[in-house]
PDB file of all heavy atoms in Angstrom:
ATOM      1  N   GLY A   1      -9.304  -5.868  19.616  1.00 89.00           N
ATOM      2  CA  GLY A   1      -9.533  -6.324  18.247  1.00 89.00           C
ATOM      3  C   GLY A   1     -10.503  -5.421  17.511  1.00 89.00           C
ATOM      4  O   GLY A   1     -10.308  -5.110  16.334  1.00 89.00           O
ATOM      5  N   TYR A   2     -11.540  -4.999  18.216  1.00 90.00           N
ATOM      6  CA  TYR A   2     -12.523  -4.084  17.638  1.00 90.00           C
ATOM      7  C   TYR A   2     -11.848  -2.769  17.254  1.00 90.00           C
ATOM      8  O   TYR A   2     -12.036  -2.249  16.162  1.00 90.00           O
ATOM      9  CB  TYR A   2     -13.656  -3.839  18.632  1.00 90.00           C
ATOM     10  CG  TYR A   2     -14.695  -2.858  18.169  1.00 90.00           C
ATOM     11  CD1 TYR A   2     -15.697  -3.247  17.284  1.00 90.00           C
ATOM     12  CD2 TYR A   2     -14.691  -1.542  18.614  1.00 90.00           C
ATOM     13  CE1 TYR A   2     -16.666  -2.350  16.853  1.00 90.00           C
ATOM     14  CE2 TYR A   2     -15.645  -0.638  18.196  1.00 90.00           C
ATOM     15  CZ  TYR A   2     -16.632  -1.050  17.318  1.00 90.00           C
ATOM     16  OH  TYR A   2     -17.584  -0.169  16.896  1.00 90.00           O
ATOM     17  N   TRP A   3     -11.047  -2.229  18.180  1.00 92.00           N
ATOM     18  CA  TRP A   3     -10.376  -0.955  17.920  1.00 92.00           C
ATOM     19  C   TRP A   3      -9.378  -1.091  16.775  1.00 92.00           C
ATOM     20  O   TRP A   3      -9.270  -0.207  15.924  1.00 92.00           O
ATOM     21  CB  TRP A   3      -9.694  -0.463  19.179  1.00 92.00           C
ATOM     22  CG  TRP A   3      -9.033   0.858  18.997  1.00 92.00           C
ATOM     23  CD1 TRP A   3      -7.704   1.112  19.058  1.00 92.00           C
ATOM     24  CD2 TRP A   3      -9.657   2.109  18.691  1.00 92.00           C
ATOM     25  NE1 TRP A   3      -7.455   2.435  18.817  1.00 92.00           N
ATOM     26  CE2 TRP A   3      -8.643   3.078  18.585  1.00 92.00           C
ATOM     27  CE3 TRP A   3     -10.973   2.506  18.494  1.00 92.00           C
ATOM     28  CZ2 TRP A   3      -8.906   4.403  18.295  1.00 92.00           C
ATOM     29  CZ3 TRP A   3     -11.225   3.822  18.200  1.00 92.00           C
ATOM     30  CH2 TRP A   3     -10.202   4.755  18.102  1.00 92.00           C
ATOM     31  N   ARG A   4      -8.627  -2.204  16.740  1.00 93.00           N
ATOM     32  CA  ARG A   4      -7.666  -2.432  15.660  1.00 93.00           C
ATOM     33  C   ARG A   4      -8.368  -2.462  14.305  1.00 93.00           C
ATOM     34  O   ARG A   4      -7.904  -1.862  13.330  1.00 93.00           O
ATOM     35  CB  ARG A   4      -6.917  -3.747  15.898  1.00 93.00           C
ATOM     36  CG  ARG A   4      -5.421  -3.586  15.886  1.00 93.00           C
ATOM     37  CD  ARG A   4      -4.693  -4.880  16.159  1.00 93.00           C
ATOM     38  NE  ARG A   4      -4.748  -5.166  17.584  1.00 93.00           N
ATOM     39  CZ  ARG A   4      -5.211  -6.300  18.118  1.00 93.00           C
ATOM     40  NH1 ARG A   4      -5.588  -7.290  17.371  1.00 93.00           N
ATOM     41  NH2 ARG A   4      -5.263  -6.464  19.411  1.00 93.00           N
ATOM     42  N   ALA A   5      -9.486  -3.170  14.239  1.00 94.00           N
ATOM     43  CA  ALA A   5     -10.242  -3.251  12.983  1.00 94.00           C
ATOM     44  C   ALA A   5     -10.792  -1.880  12.591  1.00 94.00           C
ATOM     45  O   ALA A   5     -10.778  -1.505  11.415  1.00 94.00           O
ATOM     46  CB  ALA A   5     -11.371  -4.265  13.123  1.00 94.00           C
ATOM     47  N   ASN A   6     -11.246  -1.118  13.569  1.00 94.00           N
ATOM     48  CA  ASN A   6     -11.761   0.225  13.319  1.00 94.00           C
ATOM     49  C   ASN A   6     -10.658   1.123  12.767  1.00 94.00           C
ATOM     50  O   ASN A   6     -10.859   1.841  11.780  1.00 94.00           O
ATOM     51  CB  ASN A   6     -12.321   0.801  14.620  1.00 94.00           C
ATOM     52  CG  ASN A   6     -12.994   2.153  14.431  1.00 94.00           C
ATOM     53  OD1 ASN A   6     -13.137   2.639  13.329  1.00 94.00           O
ATOM     54  ND2 ASN A   6     -13.390   2.748  15.524  1.00 94.00           N
ATOM     55  N   VAL A   7      -9.484   1.063  13.359  1.00 95.00           N
ATOM     56  CA  VAL A   7      -8.359   1.893  12.890  1.00 95.00           C
ATOM     57  C   VAL A   7      -7.943   1.478  11.484  1.00 95.00           C
ATOM     58  O   VAL A   7      -7.619   2.338  10.655  1.00 95.00           O
ATOM     59  CB  VAL A   7      -7.175   1.813  13.891  1.00 95.00           C
ATOM     60  CG1 VAL A   7      -5.928   2.431  13.312  1.00 95.00           C
ATOM     61  CG2 VAL A   7      -7.554   2.494  15.195  1.00 95.00           C
ATOM     62  N   ARG A   8      -7.989   0.180  11.182  1.00 96.00           N
ATOM     63  CA  ARG A   8      -7.661  -0.278   9.816  1.00 96.00           C
ATOM     64  C   ARG A   8      -8.626   0.323   8.801  1.00 96.00           C
ATOM     65  O   ARG A   8      -8.213   0.759   7.717  1.00 96.00           O
ATOM     66  CB  ARG A   8      -7.714  -1.804   9.740  1.00 96.00           C
ATOM     67  CG  ARG A   8      -6.374  -2.464   9.869  1.00 96.00           C
ATOM     68  CD  ARG A   8      -6.417  -3.913   9.446  1.00 96.00           C
ATOM     69  NE  ARG A   8      -7.519  -4.667  10.009  1.00 96.00           N
ATOM     70  CZ  ARG A   8      -7.467  -5.376  11.138  1.00 96.00           C
ATOM     71  NH1 ARG A   8      -6.365  -5.423  11.835  1.00 96.00           N
ATOM     72  NH2 ARG A   8      -8.519  -6.034  11.579  1.00 96.00           N
ATOM     73  N   ILE A   9      -9.906   0.355   9.127  1.00 96.00           N
ATOM     74  CA  ILE A   9     -10.910   0.929   8.222  1.00 96.00           C
ATOM     75  C   ILE A   9     -10.643   2.425   8.040  1.00 96.00           C
ATOM     76  O   ILE A   9     -10.674   2.944   6.919  1.00 96.00           O
ATOM     77  CB  ILE A   9     -12.337   0.683   8.749  1.00 96.00           C
ATOM     78  CG1 ILE A   9     -12.655  -0.806   8.733  1.00 96.00           C
ATOM     79  CG2 ILE A   9     -13.360   1.462   7.934  1.00 96.00           C
ATOM     80  CD1 ILE A   9     -13.924  -1.171   9.483  1.00 96.00           C
ATOM     81  N   ILE A  10     -10.361   3.118   9.130  1.00 96.00           N
ATOM     82  CA  ILE A  10     -10.097   4.564   9.066  1.00 96.00           C
ATOM     83  C   ILE A  10      -8.861   4.843   8.218  1.00 96.00           C
ATOM     84  O   ILE A  10      -8.870   5.725   7.352  1.00 96.00           O
ATOM     85  CB  ILE A  10      -9.938   5.150  10.482  1.00 96.00           C
ATOM     86  CG1 ILE A  10     -11.273   5.122  11.214  1.00 96.00           C
ATOM     87  CG2 ILE A  10      -9.389   6.567  10.433  1.00 96.00           C
ATOM     88  CD1 ILE A  10     -11.177   5.459  12.686  1.00 96.00           C
ATOM     89  N   ILE A  11      -7.786   4.083   8.439  1.00 97.00           N
ATOM     90  CA  ILE A  11      -6.556   4.290   7.668  1.00 97.00           C
ATOM     91  C   ILE A  11      -6.806   4.017   6.180  1.00 97.00           C
ATOM     92  O   ILE A  11      -6.350   4.762   5.317  1.00 97.00           O
ATOM     93  CB  ILE A  11      -5.409   3.428   8.223  1.00 97.00           C
ATOM     94  CG1 ILE A  11      -4.966   3.992   9.576  1.00 97.00           C
ATOM     95  CG2 ILE A  11      -4.237   3.378   7.250  1.00 97.00           C
ATOM     96  CD1 ILE A  11      -3.966   3.124  10.311  1.00 97.00           C
ATOM     97  N   GLY A  12      -7.558   2.970   5.878  1.00 97.00           N
ATOM     98  CA  GLY A  12      -7.891   2.682   4.488  1.00 97.00           C
ATOM     99  C   GLY A  12      -8.655   3.821   3.836  1.00 97.00           C
ATOM    100  O   GLY A  12      -8.357   4.221   2.703  1.00 97.00           O
ATOM    101  N   CYS A  13      -9.626   4.375   4.551  1.00 96.00           N
ATOM    102  CA  CYS A  13     -10.394   5.507   4.018  1.00 96.00           C
ATOM    103  C   CYS A  13      -9.502   6.734   3.825  1.00 96.00           C
ATOM    104  O   CYS A  13      -9.626   7.447   2.826  1.00 96.00           O
ATOM    105  CB  CYS A  13     -11.558   5.841   4.945  1.00 96.00           C
ATOM    106  SG  CYS A  13     -12.890   4.634   4.922  1.00 96.00           S
ATOM    107  N   LEU A  14      -8.604   6.974   4.776  1.00 95.00           N
ATOM    108  CA  LEU A  14      -7.702   8.116   4.651  1.00 95.00           C
ATOM    109  C   LEU A  14      -6.743   7.957   3.475  1.00 95.00           C
ATOM    110  O   LEU A  14      -6.425   8.940   2.792  1.00 95.00           O
ATOM    111  CB  LEU A  14      -6.921   8.323   5.947  1.00 95.00           C
ATOM    112  CG  LEU A  14      -7.718   8.908   7.105  1.00 95.00           C
ATOM    113  CD1 LEU A  14      -6.873   8.924   8.372  1.00 95.00           C
ATOM    114  CD2 LEU A  14      -8.222  10.300   6.780  1.00 95.00           C
ATOM    115  N   VAL A  15      -6.294   6.745   3.221  1.00 95.00           N
ATOM    116  CA  VAL A  15      -5.407   6.499   2.081  1.00 95.00           C
ATOM    117  C   VAL A  15      -6.146   6.779   0.774  1.00 95.00           C
ATOM    118  O   VAL A  15      -5.621   7.452  -0.119  1.00 95.00           O
ATOM    119  CB  VAL A  15      -4.839   5.065   2.120  1.00 95.00           C
ATOM    120  CG1 VAL A  15      -4.205   4.681   0.795  1.00 95.00           C
ATOM    121  CG2 VAL A  15      -3.839   4.921   3.257  1.00 95.00           C
ATOM    122  N   VAL A  16      -7.381   6.287   0.662  1.00 94.00           N
ATOM    123  CA  VAL A  16      -8.176   6.546  -0.547  1.00 94.00           C
ATOM    124  C   VAL A  16      -8.394   8.045  -0.701  1.00 94.00           C
ATOM    125  O   VAL A  16      -8.248   8.605  -1.794  1.00 94.00           O
ATOM    126  CB  VAL A  16      -9.518   5.780  -0.501  1.00 94.00           C
ATOM    127  CG1 VAL A  16     -10.441   6.234  -1.618  1.00 94.00           C
ATOM    128  CG2 VAL A  16      -9.275   4.288  -0.572  1.00 94.00           C
ATOM    129  N   TRP A  17      -8.740   8.717   0.390  1.00 91.00           N
ATOM    130  CA  TRP A  17      -8.954  10.161   0.355  1.00 91.00           C
ATOM    131  C   TRP A  17      -7.699  10.886  -0.124  1.00 91.00           C
ATOM    132  O   TRP A  17      -7.769  11.771  -0.967  1.00 91.00           O
ATOM    133  CB  TRP A  17      -9.359  10.647   1.748  1.00 91.00           C
ATOM    134  CG  TRP A  17      -9.313  12.129   1.905  1.00 91.00           C
ATOM    135  CD1 TRP A  17     -10.216  13.038   1.433  1.00 91.00           C
ATOM    136  CD2 TRP A  17      -8.288  12.878   2.550  1.00 91.00           C
ATOM    137  NE1 TRP A  17      -9.819  14.307   1.759  1.00 91.00           N
ATOM    138  CE2 TRP A  17      -8.638  14.235   2.453  1.00 91.00           C
ATOM    139  CE3 TRP A  17      -7.121  12.539   3.212  1.00 91.00           C
ATOM    140  CZ2 TRP A  17      -7.858  15.240   2.984  1.00 91.00           C
ATOM    141  CZ3 TRP A  17      -6.343  13.549   3.745  1.00 91.00           C
ATOM    142  CH2 TRP A  17      -6.718  14.881   3.624  1.00 91.00           C
ATOM    143  N   ALA A  18      -6.525  10.513   0.416  1.00 89.00           N
ATOM    144  CA  ALA A  18      -5.279  11.177   0.039  1.00 89.00           C
ATOM    145  C   ALA A  18      -4.920  10.917  -1.419  1.00 89.00           C
ATOM    146  O   ALA A  18      -4.491  11.829  -2.132  1.00 89.00           O
ATOM    147  CB  ALA A  18      -4.148  10.713   0.961  1.00 89.00           C
ATOM    148  N   VAL A  19      -5.105   9.679  -1.874  1.00 89.00           N
ATOM    149  CA  VAL A  19      -4.771   9.348  -3.259  1.00 89.00           C
ATOM    150  C   VAL A  19      -5.655  10.136  -4.224  1.00 89.00           C
ATOM    151  O   VAL A  19      -5.173  10.689  -5.207  1.00 89.00           O
ATOM    152  CB  VAL A  19      -4.894   7.827  -3.502  1.00 89.00           C
ATOM    153  CG1 VAL A  19      -4.877   7.496  -4.979  1.00 89.00           C
ATOM    154  CG2 VAL A  19      -3.777   7.090  -2.782  1.00 89.00           C
ATOM    155  N   VAL A  20      -6.940  10.212  -3.915  1.00 86.00           N
ATOM    156  CA  VAL A  20      -7.860  10.907  -4.828  1.00 86.00           C
ATOM    157  C   VAL A  20      -7.650  12.418  -4.774  1.00 86.00           C
ATOM    158  O   VAL A  20      -7.516  13.068  -5.803  1.00 86.00           O
ATOM    159  CB  VAL A  20      -9.326  10.542  -4.512  1.00 86.00           C
ATOM    160  CG1 VAL A  20     -10.293  11.439  -5.257  1.00 86.00           C
ATOM    161  CG2 VAL A  20      -9.584   9.093  -4.846  1.00 86.00           C
ATOM    162  N   SER A  21      -7.611  12.984  -3.570  1.00 84.00           N
ATOM    163  CA  SER A  21      -7.548  14.447  -3.481  1.00 84.00           C
ATOM    164  C   SER A  21      -6.157  14.983  -3.781  1.00 84.00           C
ATOM    165  O   SER A  21      -6.022  15.976  -4.498  1.00 84.00           O
ATOM    166  CB  SER A  21      -8.004  14.921  -2.108  1.00 84.00           C
ATOM    167  OG  SER A  21      -7.120  14.455  -1.111  1.00 84.00           O
ATOM    168  N   LEU A  22      -5.125  14.362  -3.251  1.00 85.00           N
ATOM    169  CA  LEU A  22      -3.766  14.833  -3.518  1.00 85.00           C
ATOM    170  C   LEU A  22      -3.176  14.200  -4.768  1.00 85.00           C
ATOM    171  O   LEU A  22      -2.617  14.896  -5.607  1.00 85.00           O
ATOM    172  CB  LEU A  22      -2.858  14.523  -2.327  1.00 85.00           C
ATOM    173  CG  LEU A  22      -2.937  15.488  -1.170  1.00 85.00           C
ATOM    174  CD1 LEU A  22      -2.121  14.976   0.005  1.00 85.00           C
ATOM    175  CD2 LEU A  22      -2.434  16.850  -1.583  1.00 85.00           C
ATOM    176  N   GLY A  23      -3.304  12.893  -4.847  1.00 83.00           N
ATOM    177  CA  GLY A  23      -2.675  12.172  -5.948  1.00 83.00           C
ATOM    178  C   GLY A  23      -3.236  12.524  -7.304  1.00 83.00           C
ATOM    179  O   GLY A  23      -2.537  13.076  -8.155  1.00 83.00           O
ATOM    180  N   PHE A  24      -4.501  12.193  -7.525  1.00 79.00           N
ATOM    181  CA  PHE A  24      -5.102  12.399  -8.844  1.00 79.00           C
ATOM    182  C   PHE A  24      -5.310  13.867  -9.170  1.00 79.00           C
ATOM    183  O   PHE A  24      -5.097  14.295 -10.291  1.00 79.00           O
ATOM    184  CB  PHE A  24      -6.434  11.665  -8.954  1.00 79.00           C
ATOM    185  CG  PHE A  24      -6.309  10.174  -8.990  1.00 79.00           C
ATOM    186  CD1 PHE A  24      -7.284   9.372  -8.416  1.00 79.00           C
ATOM    187  CD2 PHE A  24      -5.230   9.555  -9.587  1.00 79.00           C
ATOM    188  CE1 PHE A  24      -7.181   7.992  -8.451  1.00 79.00           C
ATOM    189  CE2 PHE A  24      -5.117   8.177  -9.624  1.00 79.00           C
ATOM    190  CZ  PHE A  24      -6.101   7.401  -9.051  1.00 79.00           C
ATOM    191  N   ALA A  25      -5.759  14.663  -8.199  1.00 77.00           N
ATOM    192  CA  ALA A  25      -6.137  16.039  -8.489  1.00 77.00           C
ATOM    193  C   ALA A  25      -4.955  16.994  -8.545  1.00 77.00           C
ATOM    194  O   ALA A  25      -5.029  18.016  -9.221  1.00 77.00           O
ATOM    195  CB  ALA A  25      -7.136  16.528  -7.446  1.00 77.00           C
ATOM    196  N   ILE A  26      -3.849  16.683  -7.857  1.00 81.00           N
ATOM    197  CA  ILE A  26      -2.740  17.639  -7.794  1.00 81.00           C
ATOM    198  C   ILE A  26      -1.435  17.044  -8.326  1.00 81.00           C
ATOM    199  O   ILE A  26      -0.835  17.576  -9.258  1.00 81.00           O
ATOM    200  CB  ILE A  26      -2.542  18.150  -6.347  1.00 81.00           C
ATOM    201  CG1 ILE A  26      -3.790  18.905  -5.893  1.00 81.00           C
ATOM    202  CG2 ILE A  26      -1.318  19.039  -6.244  1.00 81.00           C
ATOM    203  CD1 ILE A  26      -3.810  19.269  -4.432  1.00 81.00           C
ATOM    204  N   ILE A  27      -0.981  15.945  -7.736  1.00 84.00           N
ATOM    205  CA  ILE A  27       0.364  15.436  -8.024  1.00 84.00           C
ATOM    206  C   ILE A  27       0.474  14.857  -9.433  1.00 84.00           C
ATOM    207  O   ILE A  27       1.391  15.204 -10.179  1.00 84.00           O
ATOM    208  CB  ILE A  27       0.788  14.407  -6.954  1.00 84.00           C
ATOM    209  CG1 ILE A  27       0.882  15.102  -5.587  1.00 84.00           C
ATOM    210  CG2 ILE A  27       2.117  13.760  -7.315  1.00 84.00           C
ATOM    211  CD1 ILE A  27       1.109  14.178  -4.425  1.00 84.00           C
TER     212      ILE A  27
END
């Protein structure tokens, strides 16, 4: 459960990172 929650946080951060860096700045 701890690992699942940790991976959810990481995936959420990566999605925000991708949207901001790729989405807003380039696409």
Side-chain angles (χ1 to χ4, degrees):
Y2 177 80
W3 182 245
R4 234 178 283 125
N6 185 5
V7 169
R8 262 194 312 267
I9 294 169
I10 291 170
I11 289 172
C13 288
L14 286 174
V15 166
V16 170
W17 167 76
V19 167
V20 169
S21 64
L22 279 173
F24 290 146
I26 297 171
I27 296 172

